Amino acid sequence: MLMTNGEVSRGSAAKRPSRGDFLDPHLDPHLNRYAARTAGLRASEIRALFAVANRPEVVSLAGGMPNLTALPLEMLSEQVAQIVAEDGLTALQYASAHGLPLLREQICEVVALEGIAAHPDDVVVTVGSQMGLDLVARLFCDPGDVVVTEGPSYVGALGSFAAYQAQVVHVEMDEHGLVPEALRTALRQARESGHRVKLLYTIPNFHNPAGVTLAVERRAEIVEICRRHDVLVVEDNPYGLLGFDGRTHPALRSLDPDNVVYLGSFSKTFAPGLRVGWVLAPRAVREKLVLATESATLCPPTLNQMIVSRHLAGHDWQGQIGILREGYRERRDAMLCALERYLPGCTWTVPDGGFYVWVTVPEGVNTRALLPRAVAAGVAYASGTGFRTDGSGTRHLRLSYCYPTPERIREGVRRLASVLKSEVDLTHVFGGIDLGAVPGVDGRLTPHS
Amino acid sequence: MLMTNGEVSRGSAAKRPSRGDFLDPHLDPHLNRYAARTAGLRASEIRALFAVANRPEVVSLAGGMPNLTALPLEMLSEQVAQIVAEDGLTALQYASAHGLPLLREQICEVVALEGIAAHPDDVVVTVGSQMGLDLVARLFCDPGDVVVTEGPSYVGALGSFAAYQAQVVHVEMDEHGLVPEALRTALRQARESGHRVKLLYTIPNFHNPAGVTLAVERRAEIVEICRRHDVLVVEDNPYGLLGFDGRTHPALRSLDPDNVVYLGSFSKTFAPGLRVGWVLAPRAVREKLVLATESATLCPPTLNQMIVSRHLAGHDWQGQIGILREGYRERRDAMLCALERYLPGCTWTVPDGGFYVWVTVPEGVNTRALLPRAVAAGVAYASGTGFRTDGSGTRHLRLSYCYPTPERIREGVRRLASVLKSEVDLTHVFGGIDLGAVPGVDGRLTPHS
């Protein structure tokens, strides 16, 4: 399997920009000045799509924007006004790079829901968990170091690893998440080929984009494999509290506190526009994270930390998350029903929480090539290719049910079905020639439908 | 002169962490996992001091926190409440990495005050201008590349360059700012010694920490020298609107838009706790900055951008800055008077704006060694050594007048004078032996008083 053979994807990250990369070198007079790492900066397929997909006539099943309509805006407005009026001189002033002490204590209560016993000192508040990701990559990744991730994996993580010129090796998942045996093989093969594996980056719960959850019985095995191979685990868990049955899963961090860096976020459970996330890290790593934060932004925004803190202190935030969960479950159900009804010939994962369904399309269809036609037909999705660094993923796409209404979701899937049907018909007419597909890569997610 | 000979400071940045760096290697089990760049992360002397210096009995002349007491908190509170109540679904949601279009337009009006004709597309909103600095260093600095800065220079900039393993060469200033001839010499010598100089990092107005301003007649010469040597100029200008006579100086960016990256901030003119700054960059660089922002934080906080935008649109913000200027001028005057009265034997710069006075102490006094005694005597300052990467600066210290009241400033200088006097007396008794001083480095800032 391409994904489990430990073969290292030598993407664009390691390549220096050369004049040959551009049609006209005079377009960028600074071309010869950039650092080597800058060559790894590419607009992600998903983000490049946002502008088009945001037109009102298009049903966007592409983005990962949480639905905020259930937020109690009036109450929040009063709380924020009170913070500025009464504590404005604090809220509008610089604060420590570490994060506000009260908020760090409250974050310990949040992660306790997943079985983590954390000390507030070991929490570092970040500008969204994306910044946590970026700082972890910065601290650990030398150019050429290998980061193992699930295949597919979160676009923003792949971007951060590329920004520090790390190489990504994708490891197989099935419907129970990351496959331990595949991880073992990948780590062994990377080492045998002379690579230094620094990190396992994993999204154990309600995976983005795959929609699957790492089985509880695999968790101890995964952390044990990493410990034995001297690989630090980066556990990215933005969706952990959004399980549709209300249950949480034991965090990897709870199983091996000294070898797991945990990334958390209030973006999916409260408000992404505040950009408040956190890293929970072993002490020595945490100290370096605080220093790296100073260098990156001096400190996270004070007002925003106080808004989150007030929300956690003065509001039934767990009840609020329960309302969100219900909304997402309703949307997930609408999407699954529509998929059953409209999308014969495809298979997909069934998420128990989070935002995403991962779809495998019929052979001969290239989801990247198809995307412009889908948008023209009024529906946007994220092509599977954006979630991998090895060029595969053309037989997959990610559908998000987090933002649109159930009606729009149904309509979007209906439109997608029609575009797919035309494509399959065409494929049959032209004998299934697909210039973009990579043979032998099918994502290995156990199909449903 | 050590500062102008182009000698490259090979600080800690290029050094890999080794077990020998620590007393006990078992203190950090991750020691052998960090990237090479992580060795450059050190707690800055200034920040390490904050905890102690913030005790109420200590007069802190060390920090750079703006004074926020003149902010109209009631009005701001109402505006913020309105944003959340009426536009909450936007303010609390993800937005573009580029920054809100309206705010980018307004920023163009702000920089027009310094003679810059900018297009909103070329503005990238950042999480404070520290993030702009970090991203510029990330885009341009390969390990070993040279960045030329004034000597002394802003601690946070030195930290960002170290984070990307760039080497800093300090160039001499006088009371009219960076000395063009010294810049020429440094660039020539760096090239002759085989180094690639990527950036000139400069703070032209009310320099941090030196308190001086680059003479207008030198500005065209500086940008011309950089252009001829193929060096990109990074103009950091947080204090430009805080000149005590209300005048602004033409930005370097206005003189050479294609070869100057301009960093701006609302931290000193409005509210640092919001962390809203910006980069104004040539188009090709700006495109890369947007991609780098996505990788760093996805997007800057939406709410905070809307708060700044509303402030600029609905408030006499220039009048508000005028009030701030008056407050800072009063504090500067209090500090200069106190220095005249209490500090014979020292010399200092006379700032026309901004937050800082740069003091040269009598020979034989080591400002870094003296600091704990000063804090014990109830006054904190920033030792000159923190603003250089070459270990010099022991005969200098930075005093900030931005935050304390005039009374506290006077009291702080009085305490400092007493500590300095004891030290000078001791020095005389023991024959001026100073183990920490670096001979021949005196900052070359033309003395006053």
Side-chain angles (χ1 to χ4, degrees):
Chain A
M1 305 269 27
L2 188 59
M3 278 165 300
T4 58
N5 67 359
E7 191 182 311
V8 168
S9 139
R10 298 185 180 274
S12 52
K15 208 170 123 215
R16 248 204 116 84
S18 74
R19 290 187 171 251
D21 285 352
F22 297 81
L23 288 176
D24 179 1
H26 303 296
L27 281 177
D28 183 358
H30 305 282
L31 202 56
N32 292 319
R33 292 174 166 178
Y34 296 117
R37 73 177 70 81
T38 302
L41 279 178
R42 299 275 147 107
S44 86
E45 294 181 24
I46 292 174
R47 300 204 209 297
L49 187 82
F50 273 178
V52 195
N54 279 340
R55 291 188 313 214
E57 70 272 22
V58 176
V59 176
S60 178
L61 306 176
M65 291 203 302
N67 192 303
L68 303 182
T69 51
L71 279 182
L73 290 184
E74 280 300 331
M75 187 194 302
L76 275 171
S77 165
E78 281 168 34
Q79 284 179 352
V80 175
Q82 206 181 8
I83 291 170
V84 174
E86 295 173 9
D87 289 323
L89 295 186
T90 303
L92 301 172
Q93 187 57 273
Y94 290 115
S96 89
H98 198 160
L100 298 181
L102 176 59
L103 179 59
R104 290 189 281 107
E105 279 176 33
Q106 293 168 311
I107 286 170
C108 290
E109 292 167 27
V110 174
V111 297
L113 297 176
E114 297 171 322
I116 297 175
H119 192 285
D121 282 355
D122 292 337
V123 174
V124 181
V125 178
T126 53
V127 182
S129 70
Q130 182 69 35
M131 180 172 159
L133 248 171
D134 184 83
L135 294 183
V136 168
R138 180 189 300 212
L139 287 186
F140 288 99
C141 295
D142 279 316
D145 280 348
V146 166
V147 177
V148 169
T149 74
E150 285 111 359
S153 187
Y154 168 53
V155 175
L158 300 180
S160 285
F161 299 134
Y164 295 98
Q165 300 165 276
Q167 303 180 54
V168 167
V169 172
H170 290 299
V171 172
E172 182 185 5
M173 279 184 282
D174 62 20
E175 77 271 35
H176 303 298
L178 190 63
V179 178
E181 197 45 46
L183 174 62
R184 236 180 240 115
T185 306
L187 292 177
R188 201 178 47 234
Q189 291 184 344
R191 197 176 43 200
E192 283 168 8
S193 65
H195 288 91
R196 175 82 194 268
V197 182
K198 284 284 182 72
L199 309 173
L200 166 68
Y201 169 77
T202 179
I203 307 165
N205 301 313
F206 320 123
H207 190 273
N208 176 10
V212 299
T213 292
L214 183 62
V216 171
E217 54 276 18
R218 284 187 184 175
R219 297 188 175 214
E221 192 178 355
I222 297 285
V223 298
E224 172 58 25
I225 292 170
C226 288
R227 183 169 270 277
R228 216 161 342 112
H229 283 81
D230 190 26
V231 168
L232 184 67
V233 177
V234 180
E235 175 178 29
D236 191 5
N237 191 28
Y239 311 103
L241 300 183
L242 295 175
F244 298 136
D245 59 5
R247 283 190 315 141
T248 55
H249 304 283
L252 301 181
R253 157 85 194 194
S254 72
L255 304 173
D256 193 359
D258 294 334
N259 199 45
V260 177
V261 172
Y262 174 104
L263 306 176
S265 174
F266 292 105
S267 290
K268 309 305 191 285
T269 53
F270 184 34
L274 297 176
R275 313 303 302 118
V276 180
W278 71 89
V279 187
L280 172 63
R283 181 178 159 172
V285 175
R286 175 264 294 176
E287 286 170 357
K288 295 203 184 310
L289 279 170
V290 172
L291 295 176
T293 296
E294 287 181 358
S295 169
T297 65
L298 288 186
C299 64
T302 321
L303 173 66
N304 307 36
Q305 295 180 73
M306 291 172 77
I307 293 172
V308 173
S309 181
R310 193 72 61 104
H311 174 72
L312 294 174
H315 196 77
D316 174 18
W317 60 273
Q318 294 199 51
Q320 179 70 34
I321 291 176
I323 295 170
L324 294 178
R325 261 195 311 254
E326 277 312 300
Y328 292 129
R329 186 223 288 262
E330 185 192 355
R331 288 168 160 78
R332 190 260 333 236
D333 290 346
M335 177 162 281
L336 292 178
C337 282
L339 289 171
E340 293 275 3
R341 175 163 173 195
Y342 296 117
L343 228 56
C346 295
T347 59
W348 52 85
T349 55
V350 175
D352 296 322
F355 287 6
Y356 308 108
V357 169
W358 185 245
V359 177
T360 305
V361 299
E363 206 168 332
V365 176
N366 180 325
T367 55
R368 180 161 52 186
L370 188 66
L371 188 51
R373 244 169 298 160
V375 172
V379 60
Y381 59 79
S383 156
T385 50
F387 303 97
R388 309 191 63 109
T389 58
D390 55 10
S392 68
T394 53
R395 287 231 9 236
H396 301 277
L397 55 86
R398 186 192 74 179
L399 298 180
S400 316
Y401 50 80
C402 43
Y403 193 76
T405 60
E407 293 68 35
R408 295 274 286 173
I409 289 171
R410 274 187 285 273
E411 175 59 19
V413 173
R414 203 187 56 72
R415 292 177 190 176
L416 174 62
S418 145
V419 175
L420 272 172
K421 185 174 178 311
S422 309
E423 186 71 6
V424 169
D425 291 349
L426 261 181
T427 307
H428 288 161
V429 170
F430 290 101
I433 298 162
D434 172 29
L435 297 172
V438 176
V441 177
D442 70 352
R444 287 299 300 270
L445 296 164
T446 300
H448 172 272
S449 149
Chain B
M1 305 271 20
L2 188 60
M3 277 163 305
T4 58
N5 68 357
E7 190 181 313
V8 167
S9 140
R10 298 184 180 275
S12 52
K15 207 168 126 218
R16 244 200 121 85
S18 74
R19 291 187 171 250
D21 285 351
F22 297 79
L23 288 176
D24 180 1
H26 303 297
L27 282 176
D28 182 357
H30 306 281
L31 202 55
N32 292 319
R33 291 173 167 179
Y34 296 117
R37 73 177 69 83
T38 302
L41 279 179
R42 298 275 148 108
S44 85
E45 293 180 26
I46 293 174
R47 301 206 209 296
L49 187 81
F50 273 179
V52 196
N54 279 340
R55 291 187 314 213
E57 69 272 22
V58 176
V59 176
S60 178
L61 307 174
M65 291 202 303
N67 193 304
L68 303 182
T69 51
L71 280 181
L73 290 184
E74 279 301 329
M75 186 194 303
L76 275 171
S77 166
E78 282 168 32
Q79 285 179 352
V80 174
Q82 206 181 9
I83 290 169
V84 174
E86 296 173 9
D87 289 324
L89 294 186
T90 303
L92 300 173
Q93 188 56 276
Y94 290 114
S96 90
H98 197 161
L100 298 181
L102 175 60
L103 178 60
R104 290 189 281 109
E105 279 175 34
Q106 293 168 311
I107 286 171
C108 290
E109 293 166 28
V110 174
V111 297
L113 296 176
E114 297 172 324
I116 298 175
H119 192 286
D121 282 355
D122 293 336
V123 174
V124 180
V125 178
T126 53
V127 182
S129 70
Q130 183 69 36
M131 182 174 158
L133 248 172
D134 184 84
L135 295 183
V136 168
R138 180 189 301 213
L139 287 186
F140 288 100
C141 294
D142 279 316
D145 280 349
V146 166
V147 177
V148 170
T149 75
E150 286 111 357
S153 187
Y154 168 53
V155 176
L158 300 180
S160 285
F161 299 133
Y164 294 98
Q165 300 165 275
Q167 303 181 54
V168 166
V169 172
H170 290 299
V171 172
E172 184 185 2
M173 279 184 281
D174 62 19
E175 76 271 35
H176 303 298
L178 192 62
V179 178
E181 197 44 47
L183 175 62
R184 238 181 239 114
T185 306
L187 293 177
R188 201 178 49 234
Q189 291 184 344
R191 198 175 44 200
E192 283 169 6
S193 65
H195 288 91
R196 175 84 194 268
V197 182
K198 284 283 181 72
L199 309 173
L200 166 68
Y201 168 78
T202 179
I203 306 164
N205 301 313
F206 322 122
H207 190 272
N208 176 10
V212 299
T213 292
L214 183 62
V216 171
E217 53 277 16
R218 285 187 182 175
R219 297 188 175 216
E221 193 178 353
I222 298 285
V223 297
E224 172 58 25
I225 292 169
C226 288
R227 183 169 270 279
R228 212 154 353 105
H229 283 81
D230 190 26
V231 169
L232 184 67
V233 178
V234 180
E235 176 178 30
D236 191 4
N237 191 28
Y239 311 102
L241 301 184
L242 294 176
F244 298 136
D245 60 3
R247 283 190 315 142
T248 56
H249 303 284
L252 301 180
R253 158 83 195 195
S254 72
L255 304 174
D256 193 358
D258 294 334
N259 200 46
V260 177
V261 171
Y262 174 105
L263 305 177
S265 174
F266 292 104
S267 291
K268 309 305 191 287
T269 54
F270 183 35
L274 297 175
R275 311 304 302 119
V276 180
W278 70 89
V279 186
L280 172 63
R283 181 179 159 173
V285 175
R286 175 263 295 175
E287 286 171 356
K288 296 204 183 306
L289 279 169
V290 172
L291 295 177
T293 296
E294 286 181 0
S295 169
T297 65
L298 288 185
C299 64
T302 321
L303 173 66
N304 307 35
Q305 295 180 73
M306 291 172 77
I307 293 172
V308 173
S309 180
R310 193 72 61 104
H311 175 70
L312 294 174
H315 196 76
D316 173 19
W317 61 272
Q318 294 199 51
Q320 179 70 35
I321 291 176
I323 294 170
L324 294 179
R325 259 196 311 254
E326 277 312 300
Y328 291 129
R329 187 224 287 263
E330 185 193 354
R331 286 168 161 78
R332 188 252 347 224
D333 290 345
M335 177 163 281
L336 292 179
C337 282
L339 289 171
E340 293 276 2
R341 175 163 172 196
Y342 296 117
L343 230 55
C346 294
T347 58
W348 51 87
T349 55
V350 174
D352 296 321
F355 287 5
Y356 307 108
V357 170
W358 184 246
V359 177
T360 306
V361 299
E363 205 167 332
V365 176
N366 180 325
T367 55
R368 179 163 52 186
L370 189 64
L371 188 51
R373 245 167 298 161
V375 171
V379 60
Y381 59 80
S383 157
T385 49
F387 303 98
R388 309 191 62 109
T389 59
D390 55 12
S392 68
T394 52
R395 286 225 16 229
H396 301 277
L397 55 86
R398 186 192 74 179
L399 298 180
S400 317
Y401 50 81
C402 44
Y403 193 76
T405 60
E407 293 67 37
R408 295 274 286 172
I409 289 172
R410 274 187 286 273
E411 176 58 20
V413 173
R414 203 187 57 74
R415 292 178 189 175
L416 175 62
S418 145
V419 175
L420 272 172
K421 185 173 178 310
S422 309
E423 186 71 5
V424 169
D425 292 348
L426 262 181
T427 309
H428 287 161
V429 170
F430 290 100
I433 299 160
D434 172 29
L435 298 171
V438 176
V441 178
D442 70 353
R444 287 299 300 271
L445 296 164
T446 301
H448 173 271
S449 151

